[in-house]
Amino acid sequence: MRAKSSISVRSVLVALLIAPALALGALPATVAAAPALPAEATVTTMAAPRLAAATRTTLTLDWPDVAQAASYRVRYSRYSSLKSSRTVTVTASRAVLTGLKAVTRYYVVVQPVPAAGSAVSSMAASARMTFKTMAYAAPSGLRAQASARSADSVAVNWLFTTPGRHYQVQYATTSDFAAAGMVTTSVASTSISGLSTGQLYYFRVRSLSAKGSVTSGWSGAVAAIPQVPADPGAVPLGVGSFNIRNWNRTSGGKWSDRGPLIAAEIDSRNLDVVGLQEADFHLHGGVTQYGSLINLLGARGAGAFAAVEVGTTAGTRIIYNTNTVTVVRGGMRQLSTIGGDVKRYVVWAEFVQNATGRHFFFATTHLVPETHPVATKKCSSKQSKRYKMRKTQAGQVIAEIQANAGGLPVVLTGDMNSHKVQCPTNAPYRAYVASGLVDPLGNPDRSKLPKNPTTEVRIHSEWDTSNHYSRKPIRHNIVNGHHVDYVFVSPTIKTLTYEVVVKINDATLKYVGRHPSDHNLVRAEILIPAS
C-alpha cells in the first residue's frame, strides 16, 4: 500500500477555492464547504491457516472466517517460491487439498476474495505456511470394549498393516478430545486402565515411527464404557506353550547358554502353567532337561515350579507354579505316528487355581512335523503322509480331552507343526475348532484378517511362532502370522492377552539378542470361569 501524504486532499481543494479571493484582496463573508469525498479504502488481513487433518494424499486446512470475504483462493506448491502451484477456490473457511504426494512438504497461501459491492477494496493474503502429508493412512478397524480384566479398563484394537510402526492412542470423555489422555504402544492393541466406571469414553489412534514422529492422521473415533466385569471374582491366569528344543541338538547353541534365556522368558511373563515340547527326559548330570529348566526358574525366584509326572512322555511335558496352581490329577496318551519318527504324546492335567479355587483342564502335545517346505502361493490338494498323520493325531488329542475333561474348561497348547498356509489345509486347527475349542486370535486357513477373535489384546501376533534361528523374521504384513504353536481355549474362558513373545528392533525389523529356541514362546492371559 502507498504511503499517505502529510497534506490531505481536502486541504488542497480548499486552498484552490480561496486563492482567487486572496488575489483580489478580499474574502467572502462565508466559504462554501468542500465537496464530499469517498471514505478511504480499507484493507483486511487474515490469520494463517492451520492443519486440521492429514493423510498420505490429502491435507485439510481451516482458518477463521474473514469478514466480507465471499470466497478464498488456496494456493499450494511443493516449492517455497510457490512455482508450479495449484489453486482451489472455496466459499467456506476450510479446504481439502487432494491428489498430493505422500511424505511431502507443501507450501500454502490463502487469499480471501471480497464480496461484490463490499466497501473493502482489497484483502491481504495469509502468511505462507508449511504442511506435510503423512507416510501412512490412518489406522483402520478401531474397536474398543469394556475389559473383563477390571471395572476401570477398556481394551482397544485396530488392524495391523506394517511392522515397526508405533501408535498413539488418545482417549477422552468428549468427542472433541479436549483434555485427552494419551498412551503409546509398539503393537496394534492395548488396554487402558484407570478410567471411571460407567463413564463414556472416546478413543482414536494414529501411527508413529519407531523414533516417535507422527506418520499418520487420527483414525475415526469409537466409544466404550468401562464396566464392572460380569465375573468380578475371576483372577488372571498365565498359560503358555514353548518348544524349548531338545538339549542334544546344539545347532542353535548349548543348553548352558539357552536354558537361562528360556527361564527368563517364562519368568518375564508370569506364567502359571506351561506346555513344553522337546523337553528331553534323558539325564544329563543327573537331571532332565525340563528338570534343569525348573531349577533355573527357581534360581531366578520365578516361583516353585514342578512337573506333572505321568510316565515317560518323551519331550512333551507340563510344568506349573505350585504357588499359584495345584495339580488334582494327570494323564497322557501315546499318539499314532509314522515310521522313523519319535514317539508322540498328549499330556494333560486337572488344576485348581489357588487364588479362586476354580478348576480347569490343561493339555499339551507335539504333532509330527512336515519335512518339506510348504508352498504358500500354490497349494495342491494332495494330502501327504505326514499331513494325514497330523490329522489323525489331532483327532486322538481331542478324544483324550473329551474322555477326561469332565466338563471342565479346557486349555490346549502345543506345537502342532501346521499353520494357516499348510497344504492342503491346517488340519489340526480345523479339528480343534470343530470340537468346540476357540483360537483367541481368530487365525484360520489363508486368513489375512482375524476371524471372530476373542482376545482383548494381541501382542506381536503378526510374527511367526517359529523363528528358525534367523536374525530377521519373515514379514507377512498381516495381523496374524503363520503360527505352528498355539493356545486354544474353551468358549467359556475369557482371553485378556495373547502374545507371541519376540524381541524385535522396530527400526531395523531384526531380532534383538540371542534366540532361546527355534520357536517363540506363545502365551495367553486368561480368566477361568466359575464352575
Side-chain angles (χ1 to χ4, degrees):
M1 189 172 78
R2 291 178 301 171
K4 296 180 181 178
S5 171
S6 60
I7 302 175
S8 69
V9 174
R10 189 181 301 274
S11 299
V12 172
L13 290 175
V14 170
L16 291 175
L17 290 171
I18 66 174
L22 292 173
L24 295 174
L27 283 174
T30 60
V31 178
L37 296 177
E40 183 178 350
T42 59
V43 177
T44 299
T45 58
M46 70 167 287
R50 71 175 188 88
L51 182 66
T55 70
R56 296 184 73 251
T57 59
T58 68
L59 292 170
T60 301
L61 311 175
D62 61 19
W63 53 89
D65 290 336
V66 176
Q68 302 186 61
S71 60
Y72 304 88
R73 286 195 295 266
V74 184
R75 187 181 177 196
Y76 60 100
S77 170
R78 287 187 289 162
Y79 304 99
S80 60
S81 65
L82 293 179
K83 70 176 183 177
S84 303
S85 65
R86 289 184 282 177
T87 301
V88 296
T89 300
V90 295
T91 55
S93 54
R94 185 179 181 89
V96 180
L97 311 183
T98 61
L100 308 181
K101 187 176 180 180
V103 201
T104 301
R105 193 180 307 277
Y106 284 86
Y107 298 87
V108 180
V109 171
V110 180
Q111 171 70 63
V113 179
S118 169
V120 178
S121 61
S122 66
M123 293 182 169
S126 72
R128 186 188 65 192
M129 302 299 293
T130 306
F131 306 105
K132 192 174 183 180
T133 51
M134 295 297 178
Y136 302 108
S140 61
L142 182 63
R143 296 184 298 114
Q145 63 179 9
S147 174
R149 181 184 298 276
S150 64
D152 67 344
S153 59
V154 167
V156 186
N157 288 273
W158 53 97
L159 293 181
F160 166 91
T161 55
T162 306
R165 292 167 69 175
H166 290 195
Y167 301 91
Q168 198 171 59
V169 182
Q170 204 173 47
Y171 59 96
T173 56
T174 56
S175 59
D176 61 0
F177 288 89
M182 199 95 70
V183 296
T184 301
T185 175
S186 61
V187 295
S189 186
T190 191
S191 180
I192 299 173
S193 59
L195 307 178
S196 298
T197 305
Q199 170 67 55
L200 177 69
Y201 285 87
Y202 296 89
F203 301 86
R204 62 182 182 179
V205 61
R206 65 182 177 183
S207 67
L208 309 174
S209 71
K211 294 182 178 180
S213 60
V214 176
T215 56
S216 86
W218 289 108
S219 69
V222 298
I225 301 174
Q227 301 173 2
V228 175
D231 184 6
V235 174
L237 179 79
V239 297
S241 183
F242 207 168
N243 182 325
I244 64 173
R245 190 171 176 85
N246 188 298
W247 61 1
N248 292 320
R249 302 167 68 186
T250 59
S251 57
K254 297 179 180 179
W255 178 252
S256 58
D257 296 321
R258 296 193 301 109
L261 299 178
I262 290 172
E265 285 211 342
I266 293 173
D267 182 21
S268 71
R269 295 311 189 268
N270 297 315
L271 298 184
D272 301 298
V273 188
V274 186
L276 301 178
Q277 302 84 43
E278 294 195 38
D280 193 15
F281 65 95
H282 292 100
L283 298 178
H284 284 203
V287 66
T288 63
Q289 185 178 8
Y290 61 89
S292 173
L293 176 57
I294 288 172
N295 292 339
L296 289 167
L297 287 165
R300 293 184 59 86
F305 274 81
V308 175
E309 297 290 358
V310 290
T312 301
T313 56
T316 304
R317 298 282 167 171
I318 299 173
I319 62 172
Y320 62 99
N321 186 347
T322 61
N323 293 335
T324 58
V325 295
T326 301
V327 171
V328 177
R329 59 193 174 96
M332 62 86 168
R333 174 179 175 175
Q334 184 174 347
L335 307 177
S336 302
T337 191
I338 60 175
D341 188 35
V342 299
K343 292 180 180 180
R344 303 281 171 177
Y345 296 87
V346 55
V347 180
W348 58 266
E350 178 184 346
F351 289 96
V352 58
Q353 186 181 22
N354 296 343
T356 63
R358 299 181 180 188
H359 291 244
F360 62 98
F361 187 93
F362 185 99
T364 194
T365 192
H366 189 188
L367 306 187
V368 64
E370 194 66 55
T371 57
H372 302 290
V374 176
T376 59
K377 293 184 178 179
K378 294 183 179 180
C379 190
S380 168
S381 61
K382 182 179 179 181
Q383 298 183 2
S384 70
K385 178 171 64 174
R386 290 172 179 264
Y387 170 87
K388 293 177 181 178
M389 182 52 64
R390 282 193 298 275
K391 190 173 182 179
T392 297
Q393 290 172 336
Q396 292 170 344
V397 169
I398 294 166
E400 185 70 3
I401 292 172
Q402 292 175 341
N404 293 281
L408 293 174
V410 173
V411 178
L412 171 61
T413 70
D415 176 359
M416 308 306 172
N417 271 312
S418 181
H419 52 68
K420 66 182 178 184
V421 295
Q422 202 81 36
C423 292
T425 66
N426 189 349
Y429 185 103
R430 291 189 172 197
Y432 300 143
V433 172
S435 75
L437 294 176
V438 171
D439 166 22
L441 289 177
N443 194 20
D445 288 3
R446 307 305 190 274
S447 61
K448 293 185 177 180
L449 295 175
K451 184 176 181 181
N452 301 321
T454 59
T455 185
E456 291 187 358
V457 174
R458 60 180 182 270
I459 302 175
H460 290 314
S461 66
E462 69 270 21
W463 301 115
D464 295 351
T465 63
S466 182
N467 60 60
H468 308 288
Y469 283 120
S470 64
R471 296 314 313 154
K472 195 168 185 177
I474 298 172
R475 288 177 56 177
H476 304 294
N477 293 344
I478 52 179
V479 177
N480 295 321
H482 300 173
H483 298 179
V484 296
D485 306 273
Y486 299 88
V487 176
F488 292 93
V489 297
S490 292
T492 55
I493 292 177
K494 296 284 187 182
T495 303
L496 302 176
T497 304
Y498 195 111
E499 179 182 12
V500 178
V501 181
V502 293
K503 294 178 182 178
I504 300 285
N505 182 317
D506 290 327
T508 65
L509 295 181
K510 292 182 178 180
Y511 287 115
V512 176
R514 184 173 192 164
H515 289 297
S517 174
D518 57 347
H519 286 247
N520 300 317
L521 169 63
V522 174
R523 64 102 183 183
E525 190 178 20
I526 62 176
L527 299 176
I528 301 299
S531 56

